[in-house]
Amino acid sequence: MATSHHGTVGILVGGGPAPGINGVIASVTFYAARRGYHVLGIMEGFRWLIQPDAEEAKLHTMELTIASTELLHQRGGSIVHTSRINPTRSVEHLKNVVANLKALGVGYLVTIGGDDTAHSSVCCAKQAEWLKVVHVPKTIDNDLPLPGNIPTFGYTTACQVGAEILTSLLADARSTLRWYIVETMGRQSGALPMGMCSGAGCQLCIIPEQFRDKRVTFKDICDIIETTLYKRDALGQPYGVIVVAEGLTEYMDEEERKNLCKGQLIPLDPHGHIRLDKLNLALGITTELEHRFATKNLNSYGLTFKKLGYEVRCHDPVAFDVEYTRDLGFGAMKLLEMGLSGKMIVRDIHGFTPYDLESLTDPTTGRIKNRAVDCLRWDYQVARSFMFFLETWDLEEGAGGLLERMTKIAKFESPTAFAKTFAHVPALFPKKKFPGLMHDSPPFLFAGATAPPTFSL
């Protein structure tokens, strides 16, 4: 084991918690300490580093050792805490960060976070040539642009925990013949809601990406859910769980957001994002649908709303994320030892790859680009095929009598009137024909075939 002092490695966490943060911290500490580095945990992200008082910044650090972090990889949360403080809001704050890191003797910095923390990392690396900065991508939203659709750490655990909760709600819905409207985390990407929904086998998931270039409206969301309830009822299954992404509100116009916020000022976080936790989309949908049903004296379907998100952020990581975060911490230290800076560490099929943070930045916004769900990809199309929503053929008279039964349940004057009212709904779920089950399907899946078959999901 190395005993010489090679310098100080600082570790900080920004943004919301995610399962596996402690695994990265433990991995960096283990690798660095065995090679003679001093390791310092910087508390609450950039909160104290932006202050002008170096002594105050020092008080909010903790020494990390192999002994103190040995079993940390098994625990959820963050031993060094986290915050959403944005050091890029002023030049003075950035200068304070660099000055405080220098006063602490930190020559190497590992930042753990999402797109906002990555952006802060880029700015810190630019401010001081002597400071080597490597970023470890973290977000349960799975919205960072990692290559090859590689997930961000924490996403797998969050999906697992969320799916377990939804599975329990689904059993309750089936037992009591009610519907749950569950709003889940997922700001710029619908990956987390989709993953939870598919993992639990819920009846429907609504995400921003499926609207494509069309403006997301509260009415469209309610129309989708209303018709799903009618369709399931007509099929003799008047129960289920519907998952909606909280990020849908980001794509609504300001007036609709104000209505959800009951006319109050919509709060923003330090990075300028809407505080989605202060908007209650699921409650708004439930209230609107109850009003629609009451107006026509219809079955209320026992509508119940829930918000799901904080429950999955600090759960103990599953084995995949334990291994993943150990690899990422190891890779981050390798990059620092190679003298690299301003990089993001990615574990892919080739091993570890350093990605230049500057190249991942959107020139129009100055922020790291987000990765959205591709609704024309095979994985979304498979998930879509298991959902219950109003299809084009459901609106054709004589198609097994479904349209007639829905018309009766919804108390419309005629099937034609029902079809005309909800004719826009099927188009809100993008559909694509493509060759094979997967774009990268190996030939042996189609033994004896000269070409992969083409079919529609």
Side-chain angles (χ1 to χ4, degrees), residues 113-122 135 137 143-146 188 273 342 344 355-363 365-371:
D115 55 342
D116 292 320
T117 309
H119 175 63
S120 299
S121 301
V122 172
H135 181 69
D143 61 355
L144 289 176
L146 305 188
Q188 300 294 338
H273 303 306
M344 179 173 75
Y355 275 78
D356 187 61
L357 284 170
E358 203 59 74
S359 69
L360 299 174
T361 301
D362 186 336
T365 64
R367 296 178 181 273
I368 301 297
K369 301 169 188 173
N370 289 113
R371 175 173 65 189

Side-chain angles (χ1 to χ4, degrees), residues 210-222:
Q210 71 186 70
F211 290 83
R212 293 174 287 180
D213 297 328
K214 186 180 185 298
R215 165 68 69 178
V216 176
T217 69
F218 184 68
K219 178 185 179 299
D220 280 346
I221 295 170
C222 291

Side-chain angles (χ1 to χ4, degrees), residues 62-330:
M62 67 182 297
E63 185 173 352
L64 298 172
T65 65
I66 292 176
S68 68
T69 60
E70 188 174 16
L71 299 179
L72 202 58
H73 60 279
Q74 300 171 349
R75 291 167 47 193
S78 168
I79 193 175
V80 297
H81 310 312
T82 182
S83 76
R84 296 189 183 276
I85 295 300
N86 180 5
T88 68
R89 297 185 77 171
S90 78
V91 175
E92 183 182 354
H93 282 171
L94 270 176
K95 287 181 178 179
N96 288 344
V97 169
V98 172
N100 284 327
L101 288 172
K102 193 165 191 176
L104 291 169
V106 173
Y108 308 92
L109 182 65
V110 176
T111 61
I112 306 169
D115 55 342
D116 292 320
T117 309
H119 175 63
S120 299
S121 301
V122 172
C123 295
C124 288
K126 286 181 178 178
Q127 283 288 314
E129 291 186 6
W130 54 266
L131 179 66
K132 304 301 180 188
V133 183
V134 168
H135 181 69
V136 179
K138 172 270 311 174
T139 168
I140 62 172
D141 288 351
N142 198 31
D143 61 355
L144 289 176
L146 305 188
N149 218 34
I150 297 168
T152 50
F153 85 75
Y155 167 74
T156 302
T157 300
C159 275
Q160 174 69 33
V161 177
E164 289 175 2
I165 295 171
L166 292 176
T167 299
S168 179
L169 289 177
L170 188 52
D172 187 277
R174 188 184 301 113
S175 301
T176 59
L177 299 181
R178 70 168 59 237
W179 279 92
Y180 283 98
I181 312 295
V182 183
E183 178 183 348
T184 71
M185 286 185 171
R187 179 185 294 274
Q188 300 294 338
S189 168
L192 182 61
M194 284 297 303
M196 290 180 179
C197 177
S198 295
C202 296
Q203 282 64 41
L204 184 67
C205 184
I206 305 175
I207 60 175
E209 291 93 329
Q210 71 186 70
F211 290 83
R212 293 174 287 180
D213 297 328
K214 186 180 185 298
R215 165 68 69 178
V216 176
T217 69
F218 184 68
K219 178 185 179 299
D220 280 346
I221 295 170
C222 291
D223 287 350
I224 290 170
I225 296 175
E226 181 181 359
T227 51
T228 290
L229 269 56
Y230 294 150
K231 181 173 179 176
R232 288 275 296 183
D233 196 354
L235 293 171
Q237 299 169 306
Y239 59 84
V241 175
I242 293 173
V243 179
V244 294
E246 65 175 4
L248 287 162
T249 56
E250 285 256 357
Y251 298 90
M252 293 179 183
D253 63 35
E254 189 71 15
E255 198 58 39
E256 290 201 311
R257 282 200 292 266
K258 283 182 180 178
N259 290 337
L260 287 172
C261 215
K262 301 187 185 302
Q264 298 178 2
L265 186 67
I266 301 172
L268 304 177
D269 70 14
H271 289 273
H273 303 306
I274 295 169
R275 288 281 305 276
L276 296 178
D277 59 315
K278 298 300 182 184
L279 301 174
N280 199 326
L281 179 60
L283 171 59
I285 293 169
T286 302
T287 303
E288 169 62 19
L289 291 178
E290 286 177 336
H291 172 71
R292 292 186 185 187
F293 297 149
T295 301
K296 299 179 72 173
N297 196 26
L298 301 177
N299 178 7
S300 67
Y301 294 104
L303 286 171
T304 304
F305 69 91
K306 288 191 69 67
K307 285 179 75 81
L308 174 59
Y310 292 115
E311 298 90 336
V312 307
R313 300 196 309 174
C314 286
H315 199 278
D316 292 343
V318 296
F320 175 87
D321 278 325
V322 169
E323 178 188 18
Y324 191 8
T325 52
R326 279 191 156 186
D327 291 349
L328 290 173
F330 177 95

